[in-house]
Amino acid sequence: MPVGPLEGMLPPLDIQLPAGSRLEGGTAAVDVTITGPATDPVVAGTVGLGGTTLTGFDLGTKISAIERIAGIQPTKNTAIQTLSAGFRSDPGGTAVRDLVFIAPAIGELDGAGTISPQHALDFKMRMTVHAGGVLTAALGNGQATVPFFVKGTSSDPAFQPDVAGIAAGQIQRLTGGKKIGGVDAGQVLNNLFGGGKKK
């Protein structure tokens, strides 16, 4: 179906786009199953968008910290080549899995997370960029993967680089996956950033 009619279905389903934005053009495919009582339904399925633009929302600017690392150029709107995800929504919130987001001006994003009934976001994502930025220059192969978190709310999402994840990835690359003192690089970084017990 065209994206236009789908966008009109979002408010009744309590789905929010970023404030001041809207979807323009493209097509959508939705496959859902609704079970349970009408007052507390469980909605599960998949959704996909193609060839659409999220106008009034510059993802490159919103992820400014990641932008500097990855070398992303800001744009007024976010052109979406492909967006697909599986989801399950019930009165306790929405779980999103297998999220894939491809935007030509930014790169390829994938991950998973949750949306609370109050529209609070908790996503762990990674972005694959193909040119520019500190990481791609350091790697020397024109490509880098940048892990990050999405917090905030659906109407005002906040993007935070996963510093420990970035550093762990670099250590894994430099050490060829070898363990440090019998511990893998990810655990070393987890300890350094306060995730492990101090001895």
Side-chain angles (χ1 to χ4, degrees):
M1 63 187 298
V3 166
L6 173 66
E7 187 176 31
M9 295 166 57
L10 299 183
L13 295 174
D14 198 28
I15 298 174
Q16 295 182 351
L17 293 175
S21 69
R22 62 168 301 171
L23 293 168
E24 290 188 357
T27 58
V30 181
D31 184 3
V32 298
T33 300
I34 303 174
T35 58
T39 52
D40 293 307
V42 174
V43 183
T46 59
V47 61
L49 301 176
T52 189
T53 299
L54 186 61
T55 63
F57 182 75
D58 176 9
L59 180 58
T61 297
K62 289 290 288 186
I63 56 177
S64 57
I66 304 170
E67 178 183 25
R68 289 191 292 272
I69 296 173
I72 299 168
Q73 298 300 313
T75 60
K76 292 180 63 176
N77 304 311
T78 300
I80 302 171
Q81 178 179 322
T82 302
L83 187 154
S84 62
F87 67 93
R88 184 182 187 279
S89 181
D90 59 35
T94 301
V96 180
R97 56 179 171 77
D98 302 326
L99 174 60
V100 177
F101 182 99
I102 302 176
I106 297 169
E108 302 172 12
L109 292 76
D110 63 89
T114 60
I115 307 172
S116 77
Q118 294 74 38
H119 304 289
L121 305 176
D122 186 10
F123 280 75
K124 186 170 184 178
M125 305 287 295
R126 64 180 180 179
M127 176 189 304
T128 301
V129 293
H130 301 285
V134 176
L135 275 185
T136 53
L139 291 174
N141 62 1
Q143 181 171 306
T145 298
V146 183
F148 64 99
F149 302 106
V150 184
K151 303 291 185 178
T153 64
S154 300
S155 61
D156 186 21
F159 300 80
Q160 306 166 2
D162 178 1
V163 178
I166 293 171
Q170 290 301 296
I171 289 178
Q172 289 280 14
R173 182 182 68 85
L174 294 172
T175 62
K178 294 180 180 178
K179 293 187 176 183
I180 302 174
V183 183
D184 64 40
Q187 186 59 49
V188 171
L189 267 295
N190 188 44
N191 292 341
L192 287 176
F193 284 87
K197 296 180 179 179
K198 298 183 181 295
K199 294 185 179 179

